[in-house]
Amino acid sequence: MSSKTEPTINPITASVLQRRVDAIAKEMATILMRSSRSPIFNEIGDLVTVVFDKHGNTLAQAEFAAIIAFGAHPSLQYIIEYYGDDIHEGDVIIHNDVYHGGNQNADTGVFLPVFSDGEHVGWVAAKGHMADIGGSSHLRV
């Protein structure tokens, strides 16, 4: 018989940590809204910021438009499946593919892996509606 003991979770420590992770997600959103020149971000709040664990489970989220509230999770699941273990410190993944977890072409997500002492421990993401992400252009030469 195994002598493994289940880890004990101190409810006070768990509450403090959860509130800190929530604060990180809200601070990410506040910075995004205050630094953006897009009225879609800074007036309407059509964005979401999320802190995930390394497996893509949501730990905390701040959203200001309900339509985008769950828009980051499916994209991250695709990113995790696509890249597998080929994720490194400094990587930045930009995603808006509607065929692989994106909710609409104009909603673009920026996903960053989080590392601690060289170990991949989580993800942070910011996703929002972009007014103009490009398209056909008519160039005159």
Side-chain angles (χ1 to χ4, degrees), residues 103-116:
N103 50 322
Q104 66 170 316
N105 193 41
D107 286 347
T108 302
V110 179
F111 297 82
L112 286 81
V114 176
F115 286 80
S116 177

Side-chain angles (χ1 to χ4, degrees), residues 83-116:
Y83 287 100
D85 292 331
D86 192 19
I87 296 293
H88 308 279
E89 287 190 67
D91 286 351
V92 176
I93 300 165
I94 300 172
H95 181 277
N96 75 330
D97 186 350
V98 297
Y99 295 104
H100 295 98
N103 50 322
Q104 66 170 316
N105 193 41
D107 286 347
T108 302
V110 179
F111 297 82
L112 286 81
V114 176
F115 286 80
S116 177

